[in-house]
Amino acid sequence: MIRGSHLLPYPVCSHPGAIRKLVPVPSDWTSGMLTLAHPSTPCPGAHSRLGCFSSRRRCISLAKSSVKMSSFEGSQDYADGDLQGSKQLYLGIDFGTSGARYVLIDKQGTIRSEIKRTYPQPLVGNTLNWASSWRETLFSLLEDIPVGLCRYIASISIDGTSATTLIIDSNTGELLCRPFLYNESLPDALPIVTSIAPENHTVCSGSSTLCKLVSWWNSNNSNKGSAVLMHQSDWLLWLLHGKFGISDYNNALKVGYNPETDSYPSWLLAQPFFYLLPSVKAPGSPIGCIKEDIRLRFGFPKGCVVCTGTTDSIAAFLAARATQPGRAVTSLGSTLAIKLLSTSRIEDARFGVYSHRLDDKWLVGGASNTGGAVLRQIFTNGQLEVLSSQIDPLVPSPLDYYPLPATGERFPVADPNMMPRSYHLAGCECCEMNLVLSSSGCIHAQRVKLNIYMAF
């Protein structure tokens, strides 16, 4: 039986013997991510070298997981500094679609501090300045960390939304264009991408990172020579370590990186924009020590290390501890993502299905544009709370409803022109909410069936 719990991923590096920790989020944080997974089992003893996630009352071991995390315990490059082994803390930050949050834990997995923030809404003209909002949120979260704890933080990592893309001038550090968001489709670039990539490759979707890169490349005639591509978590981590052009193989998948061969394919390297592509490391790998000005500003120790991140839905999968092939995790936030653990790598851009590497197995899945953002458009928080107690979840909707926040869908069909199917039921908000939820459930059932059919 599948059980739900409020979980949010926080990849935290430099734990002795384990590069990442993942911690559950209190269920009262309603703006977070809801992860549905099989229940975990208590840790019988010491932490596994493969990692753990924990709450205030229990520790969950990943000892049976086949996930291999790199470790740099004892590395001479990062051994010097003010860190005291018994007091080391580990900081993980999650950047989602509507807000961000940090969790600070110790070696035993005990949560020492946690804070959440919604994104501010700075405008440039009538356009939201997302980069400014993310930067402000990151440094606000760092300011929120109790001063007495900062000096014990051994390492930091950040996860972010998949395919959120930034183009940066490596000479100045300034953005060369506005960020391309995770669900943004660039159909103008799709014919070019499909002409150079293998048939039905992951990048053959208008919302892929490669389509965003190609669209930018074709619409700009200057400032190309010093440009570099960064994903959201890459850029946020760069603000802390200061080194351009470093990513992880989870984020790099949608720009065309092949996690099976651990390299960029020849068809991609043959393109004129190949030099914008970042170097790629495994998630959770050390990049370098935190910048000195950042260290002094917030009081981090000299040995504090910044590590590569991952995507938000992959971190959610790890946090849910689904370790056996056939287990799936559904993450419900502004959008709805599903990941299913499989022994087979599956990719088919027609359905929005792709596979992330997880050691010797694969996370097969996709992300739909339906989700919590649709509810936000229709109902206030107060209405959601009241109406949730009134609806009957056992009564299905008789209407053909497909709730989307805007035109375009990614999974279980990749169609940038797909229109939402909605009906306003005047005078019956309870019925309308039930319609949205039951229709979303039906759509999700289609996704699960598609994933199982393709993965096994």
Side-chain angles (χ1 to χ4, degrees):
M1 180 176 181
I2 294 180
R3 183 170 67 188
S5 60
H6 285 282
L7 293 170
L8 209 56
Y10 295 96
V12 183
C13 307
S14 190
H15 179 273
I19 207 71
R20 179 183 291 113
K21 290 194 174 186
L22 298 155
V23 296
V25 168
S27 60
D28 58 357
W29 186 39
T30 57
S31 63
M33 179 185 297
L34 179 65
T35 300
L36 305 178
H38 290 273
S40 305
T41 55
C43 174
H47 293 287
S48 162
R49 63 176 284 105
L50 296 176
C52 66
F53 63 91
S54 63
S55 72
R56 293 178 178 84
R57 292 180 296 275
R58 64 178 183 171
C59 164
I60 306 301
S61 171
L62 296 185
K64 295 182 180 180
S65 170
S66 62
V67 181
K68 294 180 180 178
M69 307 294 185
S70 59
S71 173
F72 53 93
E73 180 183 11
S75 169
Q76 293 302 309
D77 291 339
Y78 307 105
D80 297 333
D82 302 332
L83 299 180
Q84 302 177 37
S86 63
K87 297 183 179 180
Q88 288 184 359
L89 301 176
Y90 311 94
L91 177 64
I93 307 176
D94 173 87
F95 273 75
T97 55
S98 59
R101 178 187 186 92
Y102 84 73
V103 168
L104 186 63
I105 60 176
D106 60 21
K107 288 184 177 181
Q108 288 70 44
T110 302
I111 298 174
R112 301 295 298 276
S113 179
E114 55 184 336
I115 294 289
K116 61 176 171 40
R117 282 183 175 268
T118 56
Y119 294 136
Q121 306 290 308
L123 297 176
V124 177
N126 294 321
T127 304
L128 181 61
N129 188 336
W130 280 110
S132 177
S133 179
W134 298 330
R135 182 192 292 110
E136 181 179 340
T137 301
L138 172 62
F139 289 113
S140 293
L141 287 172
L142 296 181
E143 290 278 6
D144 291 335
I145 301 172
V147 175
L149 298 179
C150 279
R151 62 195 177 107
Y152 297 115
I153 295 177
S155 57
I156 303 171
S157 190
I158 299 173
D159 68 67
T161 51
S162 176
T164 295
T165 307
L166 301 92
I167 309 295
I168 312 295
D169 186 332
S170 61
N171 291 330
T172 65
E174 297 297 321
L175 273 70
L176 293 176
C177 63
R178 63 169 183 80
F180 298 100
L181 299 183
Y182 62 96
N183 60 349
E184 189 172 350
S185 183
L186 280 300
D188 62 292
L190 193 54
I192 298 174
V193 170
T194 54
S195 71
I196 62 175
E199 185 178 8
N200 297 325
H201 191 279
T202 298
V203 299
C204 297
S205 166
S207 61
S208 72
T209 308
L210 186 57
C211 274
K212 291 160 185 173
L213 172 58
V214 169
S215 180
W216 175 84
W217 179 267
N218 288 337
S219 61
N220 287 270
N221 297 318
S222 60
N223 298 323
K224 290 182 177 180
S226 58
V228 293
L229 180 145
M230 289 186 174
H231 306 93
Q232 182 189 32
S233 64
D234 303 340
W235 182 74
L236 291 164
L237 290 165
W238 166 74
L239 294 174
L240 302 182
H241 61 68
K243 298 180 180 180
F244 285 109
I246 301 174
S247 187
D248 63 272
Y249 59 61
N250 293 151
N251 273 297
L253 179 73
K254 294 181 182 179
V255 79
Y257 190 81
N258 188 338
E260 194 165 10
T261 62
D262 210 9
S263 63
Y264 286 110
S266 57
W267 59 263
L268 184 56
L269 294 177
Q271 306 309 312
F273 48 76
F274 78 93
Y275 64 88
L276 277 77
L277 301 174
S279 62
V280 178
K281 296 175 176 282
S285 299
I287 300 172
C289 290
I290 196 167
K291 292 193 298 183
E292 186 68 3
D293 61 325
I294 302 295
R295 186 186 75 80
L296 294 174
R297 175 179 171 184
F298 296 102
F300 294 113
K302 290 182 180 178
C304 182
V305 179
V306 181
C307 304
T308 53
T310 186
T311 69
D312 53 353
S313 62
I314 291 177
F317 185 94
L318 295 174
R321 197 180 179 269
T323 60
Q324 299 299 318
R327 296 291 182 93
V329 173
T330 296
S331 301
L332 174 61
S334 296
T335 60
L336 187 61
I338 181 172
K339 294 284 187 289
L340 184 147
L341 190 61
S342 173
T343 56
S344 302
R345 182 185 183 187
I346 306 296
E347 290 187 352
D348 196 324
R350 295 172 299 173
F351 303 104
V353 174
Y354 50 88
S355 296
H356 280 286
R357 174 182 164 189
L358 192 65
D359 189 25
D360 60 344
K361 296 181 178 62
W362 299 93
L363 287 180
V364 182
S368 169
N369 289 339
T370 191
V374 178
L375 291 171
R376 291 281 189 183
Q377 288 181 342
I378 304 173
F379 305 105
T380 65
N381 287 346
Q383 288 174 316
L384 288 173
E385 185 173 352
V386 172
L387 295 173
S388 293
S389 64
Q390 298 176 1
I391 62 174
D392 185 349
L394 299 180
V395 177
S397 169
L399 300 177
D400 181 22
Y401 191 92
Y402 202 110
L404 292 171
T407 301
E409 176 61 304
R410 295 178 291 161
F411 174 69
V413 59
D415 183 359
N417 299 313
M418 183 172 178
M419 298 295 293
R421 294 196 298 274
S422 59
Y423 312 93
H424 176 61
L425 304 179
C428 189
E429 293 176 335
C430 183
C431 297
E432 187 166 5
M433 182 172 173
N434 189 31
L435 177 58
V436 173
L437 294 177
S438 62
S439 298
S440 296
C442 291
I443 297 167
H444 179 56
Q446 296 174 19
R447 300 185 190 105
V448 174
K449 291 177 181 177
L450 176 63
N451 255 21
I452 294 174
Y453 173 78
M454 299 186 73
F456 294 98

